[in-house]
Amino acid sequence: MQETRKEVLDALASGPVSGPDLAEELGLSRAAVWKHVEALREVGFEIESDGDGYRLAGVPEFAGPAVEFGLEAPYTVEYHDSIPSTNDRARELATEGRENVVVLADEQTGGRGRLDRAWASPSGGVWLSVLLRPDVPPTETPLFTLAAAVATVRAAREASVDAVIKWPNDVLVAGSERKLAGVLTEMGGEADRVDWLVVGVGVNANVDPATIPGEGATSLRAQAGDVDRRAFTQRLVEEFHSLRTDPEGILPAWRERAATLGRRVRVDTPGGEVTGEAVGVTYPGSLVVETAGGRVEVTAGDCEHLRPAGGDS
Ligand code: BT5
């Protein structure tokens, strides 16, 4: 949101404030104040005016300005009711030189998972992509995927859903293999330098799992009832931001919430299948698997949990 509009909104939130007072406080003309108020009303903010002045009476449930309002992280939010893929849009913004943008959608018509798999994205979800230009080598990008998974788990837990992480990018409901969210990280750059990074997170928020093809999906709605998507998205983005600005904390936080550690796993990697016990995760996000033939570090692949934690060995 434009800076002045944000200031007007902040002033209205602690209102009531009269038009002339607001104009003086922000160094604007009264006509300009009125224009900002109208523009905010147009995007869904409820602004009441009476004898005492203007006052913010309601914030729209889910839209860019609403998510940006009160967001304690330095990102602008570009919202779409419907878009093919927020990752594709963020990549487009990357070619325009932008950074620190969250592309957010209510519905995606061409959502993507890893390896070009389809990602079902009906209306009611939280489908978002964060565009960054971090000063890191490409080898470090898996850390951002892990950070996004941790941030999603934290936001889900605040929404009363006990979420855990399956390496590398799935968020599941604890004690099950039901998938609540996934992360798709994409980057552009050179061998030793990242130019842009797009971290896409898809969360089945207020959606009915029956509308998601295939087995094994669940949603925040199915687990704990509808969530306030505005608050949820803000928590997710804020947690992600605080993790990425303190990268040392990412692996410990991930380990704390990992469902994969201590489990027997089968990982389908580009170099073949790896089966054994997942015993750790190491920088920058590789899974350490104790196999019959010794320890193997896996940097990428699809992981399957072979039996429940604490099960028979
Ligand atoms: C992922 O892929 O888990 C990454 C998903 C990332 C989606 C976000 S939404 C915002 C941004 N914009 C995009 O276009 N993408 C990102 P993967 O691990 O490959 O899992 C894909 C598999 O999960 C599919 O093959 C299905 O089996 C299953 N699946 C598809 N849609 C699902 C959903 N909504 N919930 C749970 N599982 C789903």
Side-chain angles (χ1 to χ4, degrees):
M1 201 186 318
Q2 187 220 23
E3 201 48 45
T4 316
R5 190 149 304 157
K6 211 175 231 169
E7 284 172 10
V8 171
L9 194 50
D10 285 340
L12 298 176
S14 45
V17 58
S18 75
D21 284 353
L22 193 54
E24 195 184 320
E25 197 183 315
L26 301 179
L28 300 169
S29 68
R30 287 191 209 178
V33 165
W34 186 80
K35 265 195 190 161
H36 284 296
V37 168
E38 281 310 299
L40 287 164
R41 281 180 170 147
E42 240 162 65
V43 295
F45 288 94
E46 280 170 48
I47 298 163
E48 287 176 352
S49 58
D50 56 24
D52 295 329
Y54 294 114
R55 191 175 63 83
L56 181 64
V59 176
E61 192 250 332
F62 197 55
V67 173
E68 236 182 81
F69 174 58
L71 176 67
E72 289 180 18
Y75 301 90
T76 52
V77 180
E78 182 187 287
Y79 173 80
H80 301 263
D81 283 329
S82 182
I83 193 172
S85 156
T86 56
N87 262 41
D88 291 351
R89 174 62 186 149
R91 292 173 70 133
E92 212 171 273
L93 292 173
T95 64
E96 294 169 13
R98 301 279 304 278
E99 68 177 316
N100 299 336
V101 183
V102 175
V103 180
L104 177 68
D106 173 50
E107 173 194 64
Q108 293 184 122
T109 52
R112 293 185 287 112
R114 291 177 304 149
L115 307 171
D116 269 332
R117 292 188 280 237
W119 181 259
S121 317
S123 168
V126 170
W127 322 119
L128 66 83
S129 301
V130 189
L131 167 61
L132 308 169
R133 293 186 181 278
D135 186 14
V136 298
T139 46
E140 231 165 78
T141 56
L143 272 181
F144 290 82
T145 301
L146 301 193
V150 172
T152 305
V153 162
R154 288 182 176 170
R157 294 184 149 231
E158 276 187 37
S160 305
V161 174
D162 191 7
V164 291
I165 308 165
K166 181 171 93 165
W167 185 88
N169 71 327
D170 288 351
V171 175
L172 310 177
V173 169
S176 82
E177 293 298 313
R178 298 208 160 261
K179 187 159 167 175
L180 200 57
V183 183
L184 173 67
T185 301
E186 298 179 298
M187 57 148 281
E190 289 146 36
D192 58 349
R193 206 187 120 259
V194 167
D195 178 22
W196 55 263
L197 192 68
V198 169
V199 185
V201 185
V203 186
N204 300 327
N206 298 340
V207 305
D208 180 352
T211 60
I212 295 166
E215 296 285 300
T218 187
S219 67
L220 296 174
R221 170 186 279 173
Q223 298 295 323
D226 278 0
V227 289
D228 174 343
R229 284 189 294 165
R230 171 176 172 256
F232 179 87
T233 305
Q234 289 180 331
R235 290 308 299 140
L236 197 166
V237 172
E238 287 164 3
E239 290 290 350
F240 176 72
H241 182 71
S242 81
L243 286 157
R244 71 165 283 232
T245 48
D246 175 24
E248 304 275 298
I250 296 174
L251 285 183
W254 190 92
R255 289 187 191 106
E256 228 176 82
R257 305 294 351 140
T260 304
L261 301 183
R263 299 280 281 266
R264 254 189 95 66
V265 295
R266 177 165 50 231
V267 193
D268 194 2
T269 81
E273 227 170 58
V274 175
T275 304
E277 186 183 344
V279 292
V281 65
T282 56
Y283 176 87
S286 310
L287 188 68
V288 184
V289 184
E290 190 77 62
T291 71
R295 279 193 175 203
V296 178
E297 272 190 31
V298 185
T299 54
D302 278 319
C303 173
E304 192 186 338
H305 291 158
L306 294 179
R307 62 159 185 264
D312 301 333
S313 46

